[in-house]
Amino acid sequence: MVVDGLGAATAVGKAASISIKLFQVVYEFKAVGQQTRDLLESTQHVSSILESAQTMQQQKSPFLSSEERRWVDIVLVDTKRCLESVAALIEPARVDLQTRNGYVGLMNRGFFVFRDSSKVAPNIARLGLAHQSLSAVMSVLCSKGASLQPTG
């Protein structure tokens, strides 16, 4: 009798687990459009800062030491790679948003949820780190000025 009760409890637990997972998948399907918009905003923000940093790097390069130049170059290249990686991840959904009046199609929702969702969190984390490094670069570049003599 206790064994039957334990079996029933296990079955109920498994059914609840499956129901929760199903609910999660349905929620993820519905959230693809908003996630894509959020990632687009984040990548556009970082991309804008990257462009500013590249322009400032050209202007302030004479005032940087060789170590600073190498560091700035590495950060800019890493940030560009990170942006490309995130862009590739969201590109199909982004295209759908633009061509389907703000709607992501079922096929691209499925790809995003089942194929790409495990890549989203690590890429967001990388984008956050790239943003922090880029902010540090901007801080260094802004601290260099025309009143200083070039370091050659």
Side-chain angles (χ1 to χ4, degrees), residues 29 32 92 105-117:
F29 258 83
V32 168
L106 186 62
M107 186 170 73
N108 283 328
R109 283 177 187 268
F111 284 148
F112 196 84
V113 170
F114 294 113
R115 182 189 67 192
D116 299 331
S117 65

Side-chain angles (χ1 to χ4, degrees), residues 35-47:
Q35 278 186 322
T36 302
R37 283 187 280 279
D38 291 345
L39 283 169
L40 279 169
E41 285 179 16
S42 297
T43 56
Q44 288 167 350
H45 173 73
V46 174
S47 182

